[in-house]
Amino acid sequence: MAYADLSYYKNTFRGNKIADESLLERASDQIDSLTFNRINGVGFNSLTPFQQDKIKKAVCIQAEFIEQYGEYIDMPLSGYSVGDVSLSFTGSVINGVTTTKEVLGYLKQTGLTSRRL
C-alpha cells in the first residue's frame, strides 16, 4: 500500500515529476525500510496526523528521487571520471535504501527512525 497516491502527489504536494503510481508504491516500501517497518507495525491510520503528513511528503520526495536517479541508484560504482568530467553519487544509504537528506529529515520528525525504539 502506498502511503501517498497520485492525487495527493499532484494536488497537495504539488509535484509534477512522476505520473506512475507504482513509483509511490516503491517509495513507500523504501520508507518502510527506513523506518524499520514501524509504520506497518502500528498501522498508518494509527499514526498522528503530523506523522502521516511527514510520511506522505517523504514518500513523494523519495518517488521523485527514484524517478530522477533510478538508473544510478543501484550502480556498483559511486562515481566515475572521463577526461575533465567527473560524476559522483553520494546519496545516504540506510538499510540498503539510497535516499536524500530531505527524506531522512522528514522521517526523523516522525520519531520512527530511531534505533532505540
Side-chain angles (χ1 to χ4, degrees):
M1 174 189 106
Y3 297 125
D5 59 13
L6 276 177
S7 174
Y8 175 87
Y9 174 75
K10 291 180 179 178
N11 300 323
T12 304
F13 185 75
R14 304 224 184 262
N16 61 3
K17 295 180 182 177
I18 64 171
D20 186 0
E21 188 119 18
S22 68
L23 283 176
L24 294 168
E25 182 74 33
R26 183 173 169 199
S28 294
D29 289 343
Q30 292 181 352
I31 296 301
D32 280 334
S33 292
L34 293 169
T35 59
F36 307 101
N37 286 305
R38 290 189 178 113
I39 301 169
N40 282 327
V42 299
F44 184 76
N45 292 329
S46 297
L47 299 172
T48 67
F50 176 82
Q51 289 173 312
Q52 290 178 9
D53 179 60
K54 298 304 177 191
I55 290 166
K56 287 179 179 181
K57 288 177 181 175
V59 166
C60 292
I61 296 165
Q62 184 68 13
E64 287 184 346
F65 180 73
I66 293 168
E67 174 68 21
Q68 187 170 2
Y69 298 107
E71 62 190 60
Y72 302 107
I73 291 174
D74 294 325
M75 283 181 40
L77 302 173
S78 62
Y80 64 89
S81 296
V82 177
D84 292 338
V85 177
S86 176
L87 173 71
S88 63
F89 188 76
T90 57
S92 300
V93 179
I94 298 173
N95 289 349
V97 176
T98 305
T99 190
T100 67
K101 290 180 182 180
E102 186 176 12
V103 169
L104 295 175
Y106 277 117
L107 294 178
K108 186 176 181 181
Q109 293 177 56
T110 67
L112 299 170
T113 59
S114 174
R115 294 182 186 238
R116 296 184 293 160
L117 295 176

